[in-house]
């Protein structure tokens, strides 16, 4: 219902109604409701509404440890992942979990058939955003000896050195 009303308000330039809907949507998203944020993000991303998109991204950051296990994680594009991973306010209990989630994203082409084709460039851009300095030595050892790193192209390995 929100979508239809918003589209009509946008189409007929009913600014007061647009602002009222934005306010209501922000309140729903501000309650850290991840499912609402995921729904609204897709819709408002298509409309290029940066104001609502930013609210959704903040909700993603607060819920990242749940989000990385959802199907929607694999639907995110590289730019959104860069935005999330590069933000210093992103808080996770364990960077290793985030590293594994990123590896799964890099290797999943279910929602983006070009993802594996662009694996090397995606990995070189996104992996340096993982905060390896926050990891324990044992975690770094696990990464260095993981199947992911053994199979990774040399350029990806060089990026992480």
């Amino acid at each position: 219902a929100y979508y239809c009303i918003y589209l009509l308000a946008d189409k007929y330039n009913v600014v007061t109604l647009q602002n009222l809907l934005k306010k209501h949507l922000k309140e729903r998203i501000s309650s850290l409701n991840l499912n609402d944020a995921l729904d609204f993000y897709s819709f408002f991303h298509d409309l290029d509404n940066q104001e609502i998109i930013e609210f959704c991204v903040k909700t993603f950051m607060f819920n990242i440890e749940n989000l990385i296990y959802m199907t929607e994680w694999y639907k995110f594009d590289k730019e959104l992942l860069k935005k999330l991973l590069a933000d210093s306010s992103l808080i996770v209990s364990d960077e290793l979990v985030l590293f594994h989630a990123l590896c799964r994203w890099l290797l999943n082409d279910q929602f983006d058939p070009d993802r594996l084709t662009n694996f090397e460039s995606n990995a070189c851009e996104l992996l340096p955003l993982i905060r390896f300095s926050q990891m324990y030595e044992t975690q770094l050892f696990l990464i260095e000896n993981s199947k992911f790193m053994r199979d990774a192209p040399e350029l990806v390995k060089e990026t992480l050195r």
Side-chain angles (χ1 to χ4, degrees), residues 54-72:
E54 287 305 314
F55 268 84
C56 293
V57 169
K58 286 179 185 174
T59 301
F60 297 159
M61 286 195 301
F62 285 115
N63 291 282
I64 193 75
E65 292 196 41
N66 294 322
L67 181 60
I68 60 177
Y69 295 106
M70 298 173 75
T71 303
E72 285 77 3

Side-chain angles (χ1 to χ4, degrees), residues 109 112-119 122:
D109 64 349
D112 180 359
D114 295 329
R115 193 168 296 157
L116 290 178
T117 306
N118 299 323
F119 172 82
N122 288 341

Side-chain angles (χ1 to χ4, degrees), residues 36-55:
D36 283 345
L38 288 164
D39 289 340
F40 296 150
Y41 179 82
S42 298
F43 179 75
F44 286 99
H45 186 269
D46 292 342
L47 295 176
D48 197 33
N49 185 317
Q50 293 303 313
E51 188 177 358
I52 299 295
I53 289 171
E54 287 305 314
F55 268 84

Side-chain angles (χ1 to χ4, degrees), residues 140-150:
L140 294 171
F141 182 78
L142 287 172
I143 290 171
E144 286 177 4
N145 295 296
S146 67
K147 180 177 178 1
F148 178 83
M149 289 306 290
R150 282 193 310 271

Side-chain angles (χ1 to χ4, degrees), residues 114-133:
D114 295 329
R115 193 168 296 157
L116 290 178
T117 306
N118 299 323
F119 172 82
E120 201 168 306
S121 65
N122 288 341
C124 288
E125 276 188 69
L126 295 172
L127 283 170
L129 298 174
I130 298 291
R131 297 172 288 199
F132 292 101
S133 62

